[in-house]
Amino acid sequence: MLARVIGAGVAGLCAAYALARKGVDVEIVERESAPGLGCSRFAGGMIAPWCELESAEPLVATLGEEALDFWSRELGVATVAGSLVVAPTRERAELADFARRTRNFESLDAKAIAALEPDLAGRFDAALFFRQEAHLDPRAALIALTERLAQTPNVTLHFQQDAAGRATIPDWIIDCRGFAARDALPGLRGVKGEMLILRSDEISLARPVRMLHPRRPVYVVPRGEGLFMVGATMIENEERARVTARSVVELVNSAFAVHPAFAEAEIVETGSDLRPAFADNLPRLLKRGRTLYINGLYRHGFLLAPALARRAAEVVVNDGHFPEVMDADSDQRAAAGCERDDVATAAGRTGV
Amino acid sequence: MNDPVRLYDGALSSRLLLGTARYPSPAILAEAIRASGCEIVTVSLRREAGGARAGEAFWSLIRDVGARVLPNTAGCRTAKEAIATAQMAREVFATDWIKLEVIGEEDTLQPDVFGLVEAARALADEGFKVFPYTTDDLVVAEKLLDAGCRVLMPWAAPIGSGRGVNDAFALRALRAHFPDTPLVVDAGLGAPSHAALVMEMGYDAVLLNTAVSRAGDPVLMARAFALAIEAGRAGFRAQPMTPRDMAEPSTPLIGRPFDRLA
Amino acid sequence: MSATTLQLLLDELGYDEKTVGTALNQEFVRARDRAETRLREGDAVEIVTPRQGG
């Protein structure tokens, strides 16, 4: 069986990997000259399934848990050092809300924060620590994954090629084009994100730090060698590839609030792209004949791609069906909503 | 129970106005609007490069929901900015309704009431139906009415604070002084009970955003607020009893067994 | 930007004129006046689109 994967971003490469592991012959077709040049390139690379519960449906955490093992053990590209969530002193309510909506964390006081991240000593008096979460460098991770695929006998990679120009007719097309698949998926929208990469030798962080703020939340992810990724804006705007001065000011201001030394950091790079999302911000596997679309990963590309890839391979090889990502909106929401209702009922019970 | 509220030319059966910002997803925003039963949603204009597709997905969602839109002048710091924003909003959204905000102070997002009155007058003169976001100050309210406003929207507490009613006395005084002006509490509510309280005071409607959008389950919270507002309104209309200092038995005493008529 | 009028600027930036509002130096410019509104060096152009709001 031959599957053609279109798009060599995180979704496409993970899909190719999962299919190849099941013995499917895979050809990856990418219009760019190298893997991961789409929105994967600008990802935060936080494998943080429980932190994401703050604003995402429970399904995102369930699927996202599969990514921890994949990136850290199977590929060995992620560092499991946890995530640290802080808030400015006057925004402590944000921390309380975050704690209420997430799980698998420990509450830290100022002393424990200092022990964990010495450079943040004295800056925050409370934090949440999600010990089991991980982070990775998206670019290095996709290069490693591509190398692994290149060494796999039943996988071929074709860069700077248009899928329409391929001569062979595959048994399956796995469409992983992200926002570019909008031509086939009318419900898809783009949510603009902007990020910065800063270099500073004055600060050292061992793990991603998220700073909560009602208007300008930010995360800082250490990338090694003095580099830090600072992200990311969330703008309902389908304009691509342009970082506004306002966003740079906001991101730098927020990074400054995490640590003042960021004001002196060098701006190494600014980047921007569109996160592909459906109206409910939940991912989909959409089967149309012999084409399988993997899309709608929104801000959770690295978090969700491994789980979706495994399911896609099951669909292709064993005609599997996964209602949580394959059913129409309402069913999916109902399934994802069960847990929410339970929480509401429980809160009602204890709240009297 | 037919009990419409009239805000300018709109007769509304729902007394909840809902903001559209900061929901977890567009789908949840649309569901929250439906669950609340609200007939008016607030929207905004934002300076944003982006060419043809800027803001389009959001705008088509709002049109699909079918609620009437109340554009705001959020983020404006001077009367001049607010006036130009209102004029742009009238053209873009094809409505002469405007929620007028002139922000005077960054920390509390407190209205600049001087700029507010100035902008309200200019806009009312141009035929706008102005919904001014104001404090609970009686004198300012008077001047807004004098400027041509026919609806007032006092805060309960600073925007997004979720504190509930900061000064119940001031809100009651405002209600008592303007018995015939539609009064909408805008900003500062956090829980459905806060909304029930202001409705029991006789306020005509409530405008919410953060309390719903940032709740753990925005759809359920939208419904909860709708119920609270309905309950509070019914409670107001039913004329609550006046509190007493002493216990009053609720069961008639006459004929009680073992009673000794002394 | 080389546009000499507000309308040409919108065209150059690729806006759909149905869903934008415009102002020049903090004064509102009606859609129908954009073609006649000349731009000069140092003008502050405001182009706004529908957004979520509270």
Side-chain angles (χ1 to χ4, degrees):
Chain A
M1 188 192 292
L2 174 65
R4 175 177 299 148
V5 174
I6 308 176
V10 66
L13 295 175
C14 285
Y17 183 87
L19 286 160
R21 296 261 306 200
K22 288 205 173 279
V24 177
D25 291 326
V26 181
E27 58 172 50
I28 303 167
V29 184
E30 164 61 52
R31 63 181 177 183
E32 300 287 347
S33 58
L37 294 184
C39 73
S40 299
R41 182 172 175 75
F42 304 110
M46 292 178 291
I47 311 301
W50 300 290
C51 275
E52 288 302 321
L53 281 171
E54 189 238 350
S55 58
E57 303 275 350
L59 176 65
V60 171
T62 311
L63 296 174
E65 285 180 39
E66 296 182 28
L68 283 169
D69 196 58
F70 180 79
W71 296 113
S72 64
R73 294 217 187 84
E74 194 153 345
L75 283 186
V77 293
T79 307
V80 185
S83 321
L84 193 65
V85 180
V86 298
T89 307
R90 58 178 292 180
E91 304 295 351
R92 283 287 290 276
E94 296 286 320
L95 206 59
D97 280 350
F98 197 97
R100 213 176 52 212
R101 283 166 200 170
T102 57
R103 58 190 161 83
N104 273 8
F105 60 81
E106 300 149 47
S107 295
L108 304 187
D109 59 12
K111 214 169 126 194
I113 297 170
L116 204 60
E117 292 288 0
D119 281 3
L120 297 184
R123 301 202 47 75
F124 302 98
D125 48 20
L128 307 176
F129 180 43
F130 295 75
R131 188 181 291 275
Q132 298 169 64
E133 295 185 339
H135 67 284
L136 53 74
D137 176 341
R139 298 167 194 187
L142 292 191
I143 288 169
L145 180 51
T146 306
E147 278 169 8
R148 186 78 69 93
L149 288 165
Q151 290 158 12
T152 308
N154 52 334
V155 175
T156 58
L157 291 136
H158 309 269
F159 290 101
Q160 285 182 296
Q161 292 213 10
D162 187 1
R166 305 287 305 165
T168 50
I169 296 172
D171 300 286
W172 278 90
I173 289 175
I174 315 299
D175 187 315
C176 303
R177 290 180 294 147
F179 186 67
R182 192 189 162 81
D183 54 2
L185 304 173
L188 202 61
R189 77 186 201 286
V191 181
K192 184 179 173 183
E194 296 151 296
M195 55 78 90
L196 308 175
I197 294 182
L198 302 181
R199 189 202 310 275
S200 170
D201 296 328
E202 295 177 55
I203 314 159
S204 162
L205 295 174
R207 54 188 58 77
V209 176
R210 294 179 185 230
M211 196 186 67
L212 309 178
H213 188 277
R215 290 186 296 281
R216 286 185 299 275
V218 71
Y219 54 77
V220 178
V221 187
R223 290 276 167 86
E225 296 174 5
L227 295 176
F228 298 87
M229 185 273 195
V230 180
T233 56
M234 300 267 284
I235 304 175
E236 294 283 344
N237 183 338
E238 295 182 344
E239 177 203 41
R240 202 169 205 134
R242 202 184 65 114
V243 180
T244 64
R246 175 173 57 204
S247 294
V248 171
V249 168
E250 287 184 359
L251 289 170
V252 170
N253 265 337
S254 302
F256 176 77
V258 173
H259 197 292
F262 280 119
E264 298 302 319
E266 174 191 354
I267 297 182
V268 178
E269 184 185 332
T270 64
S272 158
D273 212 325
L274 296 179
R275 309 171 177 95
F278 293 103
D280 57 7
N281 293 344
L282 289 173
R284 301 277 195 286
L285 285 185
L286 293 168
K287 197 162 81 169
R288 305 262 172 87
R290 301 292 272 182
T291 299
L292 189 61
Y293 293 88
I294 304 179
N295 217 314
L297 277 66
Y298 184 45
R299 51 181 274 178
H300 304 123
F302 281 82
L303 184 63
L304 296 179
L308 289 167
R310 275 184 207 135
R311 283 160 180 74
E314 273 298 311
V315 172
V316 166
V317 177
N318 296 322
D319 197 24
H321 184 78
F322 300 90
E324 72 274 21
V325 287
M326 295 179 77
D327 281 0
D329 277 10
S330 53
D331 294 349
Q332 183 178 2
R333 289 204 52 80
C338 287
E339 209 164 319
R340 273 204 322 206
D341 287 347
D342 290 348
V343 170
T345 317
R349 243 180 270 125
T350 53
V352 178
Chain B
M1 187 170 57
N2 192 22
D3 175 31
V5 59
R6 179 162 283 278
L7 302 176
Y8 290 105
D9 53 321
L12 311 163
S13 51
S14 164
R15 291 169 178 268
L16 168 58
L17 291 70
L18 197 59
T20 54
R22 301 184 71 212
Y23 289 78
S25 72
I28 289 176
L29 163 61
E31 269 188 70
I33 293 172
R34 280 185 211 109
S36 73
C38 77
E39 293 157 68
I40 296 176
V41 295
T42 56
V43 295
S44 177
L45 281 176
R46 191 172 140 126
R47 187 186 318 156
E48 188 68 55
R53 301 198 48 79
E56 193 195 86
F58 167 70
W59 185 218
S60 72
L61 181 149
I62 293 301
R63 275 178 305 204
D64 289 348
V65 164
R68 182 164 184 170
V69 299
L70 173 58
N72 69 23
T73 62
C76 291
R77 286 184 187 77
T78 64
K80 189 173 184 184
E81 278 176 27
I83 291 166
T85 303
Q87 290 165 327
M88 290 190 281
R90 174 155 69 178
E91 190 176 78
V92 172
F93 297 109
T95 174
D96 53 8
W97 283 18
I98 190 75
K99 172 182 163 180
L100 186 61
E101 276 185 56
V102 182
I103 297 302
E105 207 275 319
E106 268 315 300
D107 249 9
T108 57
L109 299 176
Q110 178 158 350
D112 167 3
V113 293
F114 305 97
L116 182 68
V117 172
E118 180 190 341
R121 187 178 306 280
L123 291 169
D125 286 351
E126 276 191 47
F128 279 91
K129 314 275 197 303
V130 181
F131 294 66
Y133 163 62
T134 183
T135 62
D136 50 26
D137 188 294
L138 215 58
V139 180
V140 172
E142 198 79 71
K143 294 202 184 297
L144 286 167
L145 292 179
D146 181 60
C149 298
R150 293 294 167 262
V151 172
L152 297 176
M153 302 213 293
W155 68 356
I159 295 175
S161 68
R163 302 185 60 83
V165 176
N166 250 2
D167 189 344
F169 172 78
L171 284 184
R172 283 187 208 281
L174 206 59
R175 179 70 284 180
H177 271 75
F178 304 104
D180 302 322
T181 302
L183 298 180
V184 181
V185 168
D186 177 10
L189 303 186
S193 55
H194 301 154
L197 173 64
V198 298
M199 294 306 291
E200 283 176 19
M201 288 180 186
Y203 275 78
D204 294 281
V206 165
L207 198 164
L208 298 164
N209 191 337
T210 315
V212 171
S213 65
R214 302 299 287 167
D217 184 338
V219 179
L220 191 55
M221 191 58 88
R223 181 81 190 117
F225 266 102
L227 293 170
I229 288 165
E230 208 180 311
R233 174 67 188 172
F236 168 73
R237 292 180 76 207
Q239 300 170 13
M241 64 174 284
T242 303
R244 303 285 193 272
D245 287 341
M246 304 298 283
E248 293 267 356
S250 51
T251 306
L253 290 183
I254 295 177
R256 191 182 58 155
F258 318 118
D259 198 12
R260 288 181 206 185
L261 298 171
Chain C
M1 297 294 162
S2 57
T4 51
T5 69
L6 189 49
Q7 185 59 56
L8 291 172
L9 178 67
L10 288 180
D11 296 344
E12 193 174 317
L13 295 173
Y15 280 96
D16 175 352
E17 60 186 86
K18 287 192 295 295
T19 54
V20 302
T22 50
L24 183 64
N25 301 323
Q26 291 198 16
E27 301 278 354
F28 169 57
V29 179
R30 295 181 300 183
R32 66 180 119 135
D33 294 338
R34 287 173 194 154
E36 275 80 54
T37 303
R38 303 218 145 263
L39 298 182
R40 291 181 195 84
E41 192 71 31
D43 272 347
V45 175
E46 202 80 74
I47 303 168
V48 294
T49 55
R51 271 325 167 86
Q52 303 89 323

XYZ file of all heavy atoms in Angstrom, chain B residues 46-85:
294
model
N -11.029 47.239 15.279
C -9.640 47.248 15.673
C -8.763 47.590 14.487
O -9.032 47.178 13.375
C -9.245 45.888 16.233
C -7.892 45.912 16.909
C -7.643 44.601 17.618
N -6.270 44.212 17.424
C -5.440 43.923 18.421
N -5.876 43.957 19.650
N -4.201 43.570 18.183
N -7.758 48.368 14.801
C -6.765 48.704 13.807
C -5.935 47.445 13.595
O -5.338 46.920 14.515
C -5.889 49.800 14.387
C -4.899 50.390 13.452
C -4.025 51.349 14.230
N -4.829 52.158 15.161
C -4.326 52.709 16.249
N -3.080 52.524 16.590
N -5.088 53.447 17.032
N -5.978 46.936 12.404
C -5.247 45.697 12.160
C -4.963 45.580 10.688
O -5.870 45.576 9.875
C -6.092 44.509 12.620
C -5.372 43.202 12.607
C -4.292 43.170 13.667
O -4.605 43.417 14.851
O -3.140 42.916 13.298
N -3.698 45.489 10.362
C -3.374 45.220 8.973
C -3.898 43.836 8.647
O -4.134 43.036 9.529
C -1.870 45.272 8.778
N -4.094 43.541 7.413
C -4.538 42.189 7.141
C -5.310 42.069 5.860
O -5.758 40.987 5.492
N -5.490 43.164 5.197
C -6.106 43.069 3.887
C -7.479 42.459 3.932
O -8.195 42.550 4.930
N -7.817 41.804 2.848
C -9.182 41.396 2.605
C -9.765 40.514 3.706
O -10.954 40.553 3.957
C -9.249 40.670 1.271
N -8.931 39.716 4.365
C -9.498 38.722 5.253
C -9.462 39.119 6.731
O -9.869 38.350 7.584
C -8.804 37.395 5.039
C -8.926 36.888 3.608
C -8.632 35.419 3.525
N -9.338 34.643 4.529
C -10.607 34.291 4.434
N -11.308 34.632 3.369
N -11.183 33.598 5.382
N -9.010 40.319 7.007
C -8.929 40.736 8.405
C -10.312 40.758 9.028
O -11.215 41.399 8.528
C -8.278 42.106 8.501
N -10.476 40.047 10.127
C -11.724 40.114 10.882
C -12.918 39.468 10.212
O -14.019 39.468 10.758
N -12.726 38.884 9.052
C -13.866 38.394 8.287
C -14.539 37.181 8.941
O -15.762 37.091 8.994
C -13.402 38.031 6.872
C -14.535 37.806 5.915
C -14.046 37.092 4.659
O -14.000 35.855 4.673
O -13.704 37.783 3.696
N -13.709 36.256 9.444
C -14.261 35.036 10.049
C -15.149 35.400 11.239
O -16.257 34.879 11.398
C -13.134 34.101 10.486
N -14.659 36.339 12.063
C -15.435 36.761 13.226
C -16.746 37.425 12.800
O -17.810 37.124 13.325
C -14.605 37.727 14.072
C -15.417 38.441 15.111
C -15.917 37.757 16.199
C -15.698 39.799 14.979
C -16.687 38.414 17.153
C -16.468 40.452 15.926
C -16.959 39.750 17.015
N -16.660 38.311 11.845
C -17.831 39.072 11.426
C -18.886 38.139 10.825
O -20.092 38.307 11.062
C -17.394 40.170 10.460
C -18.451 41.131 10.003
C -18.572 41.653 8.760
C -19.509 41.705 10.778
N -19.639 42.510 8.712
C -20.243 42.558 9.928
C -19.920 41.570 12.106
C -21.360 43.270 10.357
C -21.031 42.276 12.539
C -21.731 43.117 11.663
N -18.470 37.126 10.092
C -19.480 36.240 9.512
C -20.116 35.375 10.605
O -21.298 35.055 10.541
C -18.890 35.398 8.379
O -18.037 34.424 8.887
N -19.347 35.038 11.632
C -19.926 34.300 12.766
C -21.028 35.128 13.442
O -22.118 34.635 13.734
C -18.828 33.954 13.770
C -19.197 33.172 15.030
C -18.020 32.309 15.470
C -19.632 34.044 16.200
N -20.736 36.411 13.671
C -21.707 37.276 14.340
C -22.972 37.425 13.487
O -24.098 37.395 13.986
C -21.075 38.655 14.638
C -19.977 38.511 15.684
C -22.130 39.661 15.110
C -20.430 37.926 17.001
N -22.783 37.552 12.179
C -23.960 37.674 11.312
C -24.796 36.400 11.365
O -26.016 36.446 11.363
C -23.535 37.996 9.882
C -23.326 39.497 9.688
C -22.860 39.814 8.292
N -21.660 39.044 7.983
C -20.765 39.408 7.071
N -20.939 40.496 6.372
N -19.694 38.680 6.850
N -24.108 35.243 11.429
C -24.827 33.969 11.479
C -25.634 33.828 12.760
O -26.690 33.217 12.783
C -23.849 32.783 11.367
C -23.268 32.676 9.967
O -23.790 33.361 9.064
O -22.294 31.920 9.791
N -25.106 34.356 13.856
C -25.780 34.226 15.145
C -27.101 35.010 15.146
O -28.055 34.641 15.821
C -24.850 34.703 16.281
C -25.631 34.937 17.548
C -23.744 33.695 16.512
N -27.128 36.099 14.386
C -28.382 36.813 14.205
C -28.722 37.826 15.287
O -29.810 38.384 15.283
N -27.803 38.080 16.217
C -28.082 39.080 17.246
C -27.823 40.476 16.685
O -27.058 40.645 15.736
C -27.196 38.830 18.463
N -28.482 41.456 17.287
C -28.221 42.841 16.903
C -26.875 43.252 17.495
O -26.550 42.880 18.617
C -29.348 43.704 17.479
C -29.237 45.149 17.118
C -30.561 45.854 17.374
N -30.462 47.242 16.929
C -31.491 48.055 16.846
N -32.696 47.642 17.188
N -31.329 49.294 16.428
N -26.082 44.036 16.747
C -24.769 44.388 17.282
C -24.775 45.794 17.876
O -25.434 46.702 17.382
C -23.634 44.281 16.231
C -23.502 42.861 15.724
C -23.833 45.257 15.086
N -24.039 45.906 18.972
C -23.789 47.190 19.618
C -22.269 47.418 19.556
O -21.531 46.842 20.346
C -24.282 47.145 21.079
C -23.950 48.343 21.965
C -24.509 49.642 21.388
C -24.469 48.123 23.389
N -21.820 48.234 18.593
C -20.371 48.467 18.497
C -19.894 49.327 19.665
O -20.642 50.175 20.158
C -20.208 49.234 17.182
C -21.549 49.299 16.544
C -22.574 48.969 17.565
N -18.657 49.110 20.087
C -18.117 49.944 21.163
C -16.944 50.773 20.657
O -16.470 50.591 19.535
C -17.715 49.094 22.375
C -16.501 48.207 22.095
O -15.699 48.486 21.215
N -16.372 47.137 22.854
N -16.514 51.703 21.506
C -15.336 52.509 21.167
C -14.201 52.144 22.118
O -13.449 53.010 22.562
C -15.650 54.018 21.247
O -16.007 54.327 22.606
C -16.774 54.421 20.325
N -14.094 50.863 22.431
C -13.108 50.400 23.411
C -11.711 50.885 23.061
O -11.327 50.906 21.896
C -13.124 48.886 23.485
N -10.980 51.256 24.074
C -9.591 51.647 23.876
C -9.407 53.110 23.527
O -8.281 53.596 23.496
N -10.494 53.831 23.269
C -10.345 55.254 22.938
C -10.049 56.052 24.200
O -10.652 55.839 25.248
C -11.604 55.785 22.259
S -11.817 55.105 20.604
N -9.124 56.991 24.085
C -8.704 57.754 25.262
C -9.115 59.218 25.200
O -8.976 59.941 26.169
C -7.188 57.656 25.428
C -6.775 56.293 25.940
C -5.283 56.221 26.194
N -4.937 54.859 26.523
C -4.827 53.882 25.627
N -5.024 54.145 24.354
N -4.518 52.656 25.998
N -9.586 59.644 24.054
C -10.046 61.031 23.955
C -11.408 61.046 23.274
O -11.776 60.095 22.577
C -9.089 61.890 23.093
O -9.106 61.373 21.763
C -7.670 61.866 23.624
N -12.130 62.161 23.471
C -13.433 62.307 22.831
C -13.270 62.237 21.314
O -14.065 61.614 20.620
C -14.070 63.630 23.249
N -12.201 62.834 20.817
C -11.992 62.882 19.375
C -11.837 61.475 18.787
O -12.463 61.142 17.779
C -10.751 63.737 19.074
C -10.601 64.023 17.599
C -9.483 65.007 17.319
C -9.487 65.304 15.822
N -8.414 66.166 15.389
N -11.001 60.664 19.451
C -10.826 59.276 18.995
C -12.151 58.526 19.035
O -12.493 57.777 18.115
C -9.859 58.518 19.926
C -8.399 58.735 19.665
C -7.559 57.999 20.716
O -8.007 56.984 21.293
O -6.454 58.474 20.965
N -12.891 58.721 20.129
C -14.147 57.984 20.298
C -15.163 58.391 19.227
O -15.893 57.546 18.701
C -14.711 58.228 21.699
N -15.182 59.675 18.912
C -16.133 60.148 17.902
C -15.800 59.540 16.538
O -16.676 59.010 15.840
C -16.123 61.699 17.829
C -16.733 62.274 19.122
C -16.897 62.202 16.616
C -16.476 63.763 19.327
N -14.527 59.582 16.153
C -14.135 59.016 14.856
C -14.420 57.509 14.825
O -14.881 56.976 13.808
C -12.654 59.293 14.583
N -14.155 56.829 15.942
C -14.406 55.385 15.995
C -15.900 55.093 15.850
O -16.302 54.167 15.134
C -13.863 54.797 17.313
O -12.467 55.103 17.400
C -14.052 53.288 17.367
